[in-house]
Amino acid sequence: MGSIEAERTTTGWAATDPSGILSPYTYSLRETGPEDVFIKVTYCGVCHTDIHQVKNDLGMSNYPIVPGHEVVGEVIEVGTDVTKFRVGDCVGVGLLVGCCRKCSSCTSNIEQYCNKKIWSYNDVYGDGKPTQGGFAESMVVDQKFVVKIPDGLAPEQAAPLLCAGLTVYSPLRRFDLTKSGLRAGILGLGGVGHMGVKIAKAMGHHVTVISSSDKKREEAMDHLGADAYVVSSDADQMQQAVDSLDYILDTIPVFHPLEPYLSMLKVDGRLIIMGVLAQPLQFVTPVLMLGEFMDIPCFKRRRSITGTFIGSVAESGEMLEFCKEKGITSMIEVVKMDYINKAFERLEKNDVSVWSGER
C-alpha cells in the first residue's frame, strides 16, 4: 500500500465522537508508493452511510473519522508502477481502497465481497494505519481502486454516481434486470432512490416511485421522469399496485415492514435491499410464497428478497460509461465543506432537494 518513509499531511473534516459533528482535522498521508495515485480532492458526495458512521449507529466507529466515499479529484502524482492513470486525469474513488486479491470474490472481480476488504474510512491498512475518506484535501489510493471519470461527465455530477449510481447499477446487471420493458419500483427517493429512477428509465423500464406521502410526487414525476407514483400510506393505491412490479429497489435507511411492498411484486419478483440500518427488518413468509395473506388463493409467487453491496471497481467504470452514454447525471446541490454539518442535518431530516442547483 505504499511507502511511509516520509509522511506528508492533509486536512480533512472529522468527527471525534458520536455527536457526529465534523471539524477540521490534520493527519498524515503516506508517500506515493509504486502502485499508488496521489489525488487532490475536488468533490465528494454526501451519503446517509456517512451519518451512520460518524454517529456510530452501527456500533463500529473508531474516532477520529474523516468520512466521504464518493470522491472525485485530480491526479497530482502517480507511482512508478501505475499504468492506468497519469497526472492531470480526473478520477474517482468509492467505498473501498483495499482487498486481499486472493479469495474467490477478488479473483472473480467482485472484490466488494472480500472478507478482508478495506473501507475508504473507519478502517485500517495492512500496516495498521487508519484509512480516512474524501472530506479532505487529498488522498493516496492504490490504483486498483481508482476509476477514470469519462471525458464529458462533469466531476461534481460524477461524485454521487460512485456510490448511489453504482449501488443501483450493479444489482440490475447482476440479476439480469437490464432488458427493456421491465416494471420497476423505487422505494424511497433519496440519493440512491433518485439514481434508481434515472438508471432504470435509461434502461427502458416503467418506473413507479413508492413513497410514504405525496411530498415528493412532483420531484419524482416532473423532475426525474417516473411513470407512476404510489403513496404507501394509501391503502387503495397500494391495493391497485399489487402484483405489478418485476423488481423493487428498497433504498429506505430506517426500519419499515416489508409485507406491503412484497405484495407489489409479480411471480419471480425481487425486492433488493439497499438501505443500511441497524434494526432487523420483518416479514411473514406467506407473502413470499402465497400472496398477501394466507386466505388469498394466489400461488406460485416465488418472490425473493436479496441484499446487494455497492459494486465492483470494474462495474464502477462500466456504470460511469453507461451514464455518460445515456446522459445520466446526479441531481445535486453543490456546497462548500464548511456547510457539511448543515448538510448532514438536512439529510437526516430528508430536506434535500436533489434537483437543486449550486448553493
Side-chain angles (χ1 to χ4, degrees):
M1 299 301 295
S3 169
I4 57 172
E5 293 178 0
E7 293 182 331
R8 53 191 165 197
T9 62
T10 192
T11 299
W13 283 68
T16 57
D17 58 54
S19 71
I21 301 298
L22 304 185
S23 58
Y25 167 65
T26 298
Y27 55 98
S28 63
L29 284 180
R30 67 176 182 271
E31 288 298 308
T32 308
E35 296 280 345
D36 286 335
V37 179
F38 179 48
I39 301 166
K40 176 185 177 182
V41 177
T42 53
Y43 296 95
C44 187
V46 180
C47 176
H48 212 285
T49 299
D50 297 322
I51 297 176
H52 284 312
Q53 292 284 12
V54 298
K55 292 198 168 185
N56 198 27
D57 289 342
L58 305 178
M60 51 187 285
S61 298
N62 298 292
Y63 300 98
I65 298 174
V66 177
H69 59 274
E70 301 172 337
V71 187
V72 171
E74 178 186 353
V75 175
I76 302 300
E77 183 181 23
V78 297
T80 55
D81 295 338
V82 170
T83 58
K84 296 169 57 179
F85 309 101
R86 58 186 179 183
V87 172
D89 281 350
C90 183
V91 297
V93 179
L95 191 56
L96 301 182
V97 294
C99 65
C100 78
R101 308 189 188 217
K102 299 177 181 178
C103 69
S104 60
S105 294
C106 289
T107 56
S108 300
N109 292 321
I110 50 172
E111 63 283 336
Q112 70 270 31
Y113 299 112
C114 173
N115 288 331
K116 295 182 180 180
K117 58 183 170 287
I118 301 174
W119 307 89
S120 56
Y121 66 88
N122 194 34
D123 205 346
V124 293
Y125 293 112
D127 60 10
K129 291 183 67 65
T131 64
Q132 302 291 6
F135 291 172
E137 295 173 342
S138 55
M139 298 178 71
V140 178
V141 183
D142 188 297
Q143 68 168 337
K144 176 177 173 58
F145 299 93
V146 180
V147 293
K148 180 78 165 60
I149 305 299
D151 293 338
L153 187 58
E156 68 273 20
Q157 299 285 353
L161 296 176
L162 295 167
C163 180
L166 180 61
T167 296
V168 169
Y169 182 86
S170 177
L172 295 183
R173 189 178 183 281
R174 291 283 174 176
F175 298 138
D176 195 27
L177 296 171
T178 59
K179 63 183 179 182
S180 180
L182 296 180
R183 299 183 70 88
I186 309 298
L187 180 53
L189 201 61
V192 175
H194 103 276
M195 288 310 309
V197 175
K198 293 168 80 72
I199 288 177
K201 286 293 294 181
M203 290 181 174
H205 300 173
H206 179 283
V207 176
T208 297
V209 169
I210 310 160
S211 190
S212 60
S213 74
D214 255 331
K215 179 181 177 183
K216 294 192 174 183
R217 181 183 294 273
E218 179 182 357
E219 174 184 337
M221 304 292 287
D222 297 341
H223 296 281
L224 297 175
D227 300 289
Y229 189 93
V230 172
V231 178
S232 60
S233 58
D234 186 316
D236 290 338
Q237 290 188 36
M238 291 293 285
Q239 180 61 39
Q240 292 173 14
V242 166
D243 201 26
S244 66
L245 302 175
D246 294 295
Y247 68 89
I248 296 174
L249 303 182
D250 183 348
T251 73
I252 299 177
V254 296
F255 173 80
H256 55 287
L258 298 184
E259 290 94 342
Y261 311 110
L262 288 166
S263 69
M264 302 173 77
L265 294 171
K266 298 178 182 180
V267 173
D268 289 329
R270 189 184 295 267
L271 179 69
I272 304 172
I273 301 292
M274 296 179 168
V276 176
L277 62 161
Q279 293 174 281
L281 293 173
Q282 64 183 39
F283 65 94
V284 293
T285 58
V287 180
L288 294 181
M289 300 178 287
L290 304 175
E292 288 185 277
F293 304 102
M294 289 290 288
D295 58 350
I296 293 181
C298 300
F299 299 97
K300 300 181 181 177
R301 281 290 179 240
R302 286 192 316 219
R303 296 161 172 150
S304 62
I305 301 172
T306 188
T308 184
F309 177 59
I310 51 169
S312 67
V313 176
E315 285 173 329
S316 295
E318 185 180 307
M319 175 273 303
L320 290 170
E321 290 291 345
F322 174 83
C323 289
K324 176 189 175 182
E325 177 187 345
K326 298 295 184 178
I328 298 173
T329 56
S330 307
M331 303 184 79
I332 59 171
E333 294 182 43
V334 178
V335 301
K336 301 293 186 181
M337 270 309 306
D338 58 10
Y339 187 81
I340 187 59
N341 289 306
K342 181 65 175 178
F344 274 10
E345 179 185 330
R346 290 180 58 202
L347 185 57
E348 286 191 287
K349 293 180 178 179
N350 202 26
D351 176 29
V352 180
S353 300
V354 295
W355 68 87
S356 294
E358 295 188 1
R359 176 178 296 276

